[in-house]
Amino acid sequence: KAVFAAAESRERFETRVTVLENGLRVASQNKFGQFCTVGILVNSGSRHEAKYLSGISHFLEKLAFSSTAQFGSKDEILLTLEKHGGICDCQASRDTIMYAVSADARGLDTVVNLLADVTLQPRLSDEEIEMTRMAIRFELEDLNMRPDPEPLLTEMIHAAAFRDNTVGLNRFCPVENTDKIDRDVLHSYLSSYYTPDRMVLAGVGIEHEHLVECARKYLLGVEPVWGTGQSRGVDRSVAQYTGGIIKVEKDMSDVSLGPTPIPELTHIMIGLESCSFLEDDFIPFAVLNMMMGGGGSFSAGGPGKGMFTRLYLNVLNRHHWMYNATSYHHSYEDTGLLCIHASADPKQVREMVEIITREFILMAGAVGEVELERAKTQLKSMLMMNLESRPVIFEDVGRQVLATNTRKLPHELCALISQVKPTDIKRVVTKMLHKKPAVAALGDLTDLPTYEHIQAALSSKDGRLPRLYRLFR
């Protein structure tokens, strides 16, 4: 007999959170459907590696869902999940490591048992660690050969903005550390960060009581494989924004082979400190990022693709030689970074930097009512569209509960977006422009202006452009 989705009272779809005796938080969100996404999020990641070898989180990501106390190999785990039509994945970011499984909701008991085992009882055999070393070396090699340098530039801009601290620490394992990281190093790190009070068990598409029952059964009173000895202490440092420049001279003339290779490009990313996702200014910054928009010069599509954003109208439509101009907003628990990535021929680098700095200064100018409404509508539409997907809801629930012990629902976020005024945009931009810029440059940098020039151009308090042009000429 067919079961149809029905519009019920909103209460049924609110995120419920229960804290267990050991400090572990269990969060769930009901959603119509036969399948569920369940996972464990840990407040851990590359930003916490200050006292350890850089690259541990990268190792843990690759070692996830390998052999455990109950399961002899990765294949055994995959076969167990297959019985419930399940798939698994692990992702490590700067501030969170996420173990997730999507499977039939009827297999919830098996899924939570498996997640508990994978997180707290991994074997970390010598063979698995050696395989991980090979995988990481291959990934690093691939990262440097890819025609799309965006992941590399993101690493560089974070390193320039937060030099040698927290979110500025490298997310990828440096080549020289691949042989130094072994089981003892991993256990030492896990004993500090994989504690119940730093974890959230999140589930979407399941009953809350059932999830709490499974959590009590498999995650309460379990002794991890590394024991419950003294930890080396958790790094609680707050991000310190430094600004600065990181340049990598690289021959980009042969990054892509084929009948129509990509032309040689120089890539620049300029960023300024924004705010944490816990602050009220986070929403105006998200609207500003949407208003800047941008993309590649070859993008097609109507207004829904952001063709009326500032970086399209003022940059890509006016300068045919610009291959890319895109705005990004990275936000963390204690800081954030708003940056623009641009690509062009090496001979046009000076002009490209001039255009991007001009766009930053123009952010502090007048904000049109129409463009602001368009940006707010597009942000709401993107938010709602992404939250149609169960794994996205899972990540949203897990991350919000991990950071704040509660969750703002989509309709609350939409209400906050609607309240953003032109004065809010102007206020956050003015605050942002008082900071030193962070610059990442990759490729042929012969014509790159000096960091002092870029800094002076961005710090023109009056926002008048002639002074900026004179600096570059």
Side-chain angles (χ1 to χ4, degrees):
K1 188 172 185 296
V3 184
F4 297 99
E8 297 178 50
S9 64
R10 186 174 280 152
E11 283 67 49
R12 191 162 172 223
F13 291 92
E14 288 198 347
T15 306
R16 293 178 62 187
V17 181
T18 301
V19 183
L20 300 188
E21 292 82 344
N22 62 357
L24 179 94
R25 285 156 286 180
V26 181
S28 76
Q29 174 82 41
N30 222 323
K31 184 171 169 64
F32 181 82
Q34 190 185 334
F35 273 72
C36 66
T37 297
V38 183
I40 291 176
L41 291 93
V42 190
N43 187 359
S44 152
S46 58
R47 70 166 296 163
H48 298 288
E49 291 171 1
K51 299 178 185 175
Y52 295 87
L53 285 167
S54 178
I56 292 177
S57 304
H58 195 186
F59 256 78
L60 291 171
E61 179 187 60
K62 293 275 175 278
L63 281 163
F65 296 100
S66 296
S67 64
T68 67
Q70 282 184 49
F71 301 93
S73 67
K74 191 171 224 161
D75 289 349
E76 217 171 295
I77 288 176
L78 296 175
L79 281 168
T80 306
L81 284 175
E82 209 172 276
K83 288 171 190 164
H84 301 284
I87 53 167
C88 60
D89 186 29
C90 175
Q91 287 180 12
S93 61
R94 293 180 192 282
D95 51 2
T96 315
I97 294 184
M98 191 165 58
Y99 299 82
V101 170
S102 286
D104 191 305
R106 288 169 297 189
L108 183 66
D109 196 272
T110 309
V111 166
V112 176
N113 177 21
L114 189 145
L115 282 165
D117 216 41
V118 161
T119 315
L120 300 173
Q121 306 283 333
R123 280 193 192 160
L124 306 179
S125 70
D126 293 340
E127 189 188 346
E128 285 165 353
I129 289 173
E130 195 48 54
M131 288 292 284
T132 301
R133 286 184 183 133
M134 285 169 62
I136 285 174
R137 285 190 199 109
F138 176 78
E139 192 175 329
L140 293 172
E141 207 175 302
D142 178 58
L143 198 65
N144 288 310
M145 288 165 60
R146 284 171 63 170
D148 167 31
E150 205 247 309
L152 212 54
L153 280 163
T154 303
E155 285 305 305
M156 288 163 66
I157 196 89
H158 277 82
F162 305 92
R163 198 171 283 274
D164 299 329
N165 75 89
T166 57
V167 291
L169 299 176
N170 201 335
R171 198 166 66 83
F172 298 105
C173 180
V175 179
E176 62 273 15
N177 284 0
T178 49
D179 288 325
K180 295 177 190 169
I181 295 174
D182 56 18
R183 191 190 294 111
D184 293 340
V185 172
L186 293 169
H187 277 186
S188 165
Y189 179 85
L190 290 164
S191 66
S192 293
Y193 289 98
Y194 277 46
T195 53
D197 56 307
R198 298 179 67 85
M199 290 182 180
V200 168
L201 173 68
V204 176
I206 27 87
E207 292 297 330
H208 186 71
E209 287 73 19
H210 191 186
L211 187 63
V212 172
E213 186 190 314
C214 292
R216 286 186 184 283
K217 189 172 168 186
Y218 297 112
L219 287 158
L220 205 57
V222 178
E223 178 160 345
V225 72
W226 48 85
T228 47
Q230 276 298 101
S231 70
R232 285 176 56 181
V234 170
D235 179 33
R236 300 192 189 279
S237 358
V238 174
Q240 303 294 317
Y241 181 82
T242 58
I245 185 166
I246 288 190
K247 300 191 281 190
V248 175
E249 286 270 0
K250 191 177 172 193
D251 179 15
M252 305 286 278
S253 57
D254 58 350
V255 286
S256 66
L257 305 168
T260 50
I262 294 173
E264 183 182 354
L265 299 174
T266 293
H267 303 271
I268 305 289
M269 207 180 253
I270 298 175
L272 289 163
E273 189 181 21
S274 60
C275 75
S276 135
F277 57 69
L278 300 175
E279 293 176 50
D280 293 339
D281 283 345
F282 173 66
I283 300 289
F285 268 117
V287 174
L288 171 67
N289 179 51
M290 198 49 89
M291 199 168 82
M292 297 310 292
S297 58
F298 49 81
S299 291
K305 287 286 293 291
M307 300 302 268
F308 286 96
T309 59
R310 284 191 179 187
L311 291 178
Y312 263 118
L313 292 177
N314 304 346
V315 178
L316 292 164
N317 285 353
R318 293 185 183 183
H319 307 283
H320 66 90
W321 45 267
M322 288 278 267
Y323 274 79
N324 183 18
T326 314
S327 173
Y328 295 98
H329 187 216
H330 306 277
S331 199
Y332 306 96
E333 228 171 299
D334 50 2
T335 186
L337 193 62
L338 183 88
C339 37
I340 295 177
H341 167 207
S343 314
D345 187 274
K347 296 184 187 69
Q348 316 272 171
V349 168
R350 184 168 287 272
E351 204 177 336
M352 171 167 69
V353 172
E354 187 179 303
I355 288 162
I356 297 308
T357 47
R358 186 180 70 204
E359 285 307 312
F360 268 112
I361 289 175
L362 287 172
M363 285 180 196
V367 177
E369 199 62 47
V370 173
E371 71 168 341
L372 183 64
E373 282 308 312
R374 184 184 282 120
K376 292 198 295 192
T377 306
Q378 196 175 347
L379 182 59
K380 285 188 275 192
S381 136
M382 207 169 94
L383 175 75
M384 299 312 282
M385 188 179 77
N386 285 337
L387 289 171
E388 288 284 309
S389 156
R390 202 180 50 250
V392 174
I393 301 173
F394 155 75
E395 189 173 340
D396 184 46
V397 169
R399 281 179 179 275
Q400 285 201 50
V401 172
L402 199 58
T404 65
N405 296 322
T406 179
R407 179 183 181 230
K408 272 197 173 86
L409 291 170
H411 65 89
E412 295 174 69
L413 290 169
C414 287
L416 290 170
I417 293 167
S418 299
Q419 289 163 20
V420 175
K421 300 180 181 68
T423 49
D424 296 324
I425 301 289
K426 194 157 188 171
R427 186 187 74 252
V428 298
V429 171
T430 307
K431 194 168 80 174
M432 182 174 72
L433 284 172
H434 280 87
K435 306 277 174 63
K436 283 172 68 179
V439 182
L442 179 71
D444 178 351
L445 308 177
T446 316
D447 291 340
L448 181 72
T450 64
Y451 178 72
E452 289 69 29
H453 273 155
I454 298 170
Q455 188 181 351
L458 279 169
S459 62
S460 54
K461 303 284 186 290
D462 53 4
R464 284 188 306 196
L465 301 183
R467 179 173 169 226
L468 181 150
Y469 280 115
R470 279 202 299 278
L471 277 166
F472 282 108
R473 289 289 174 250

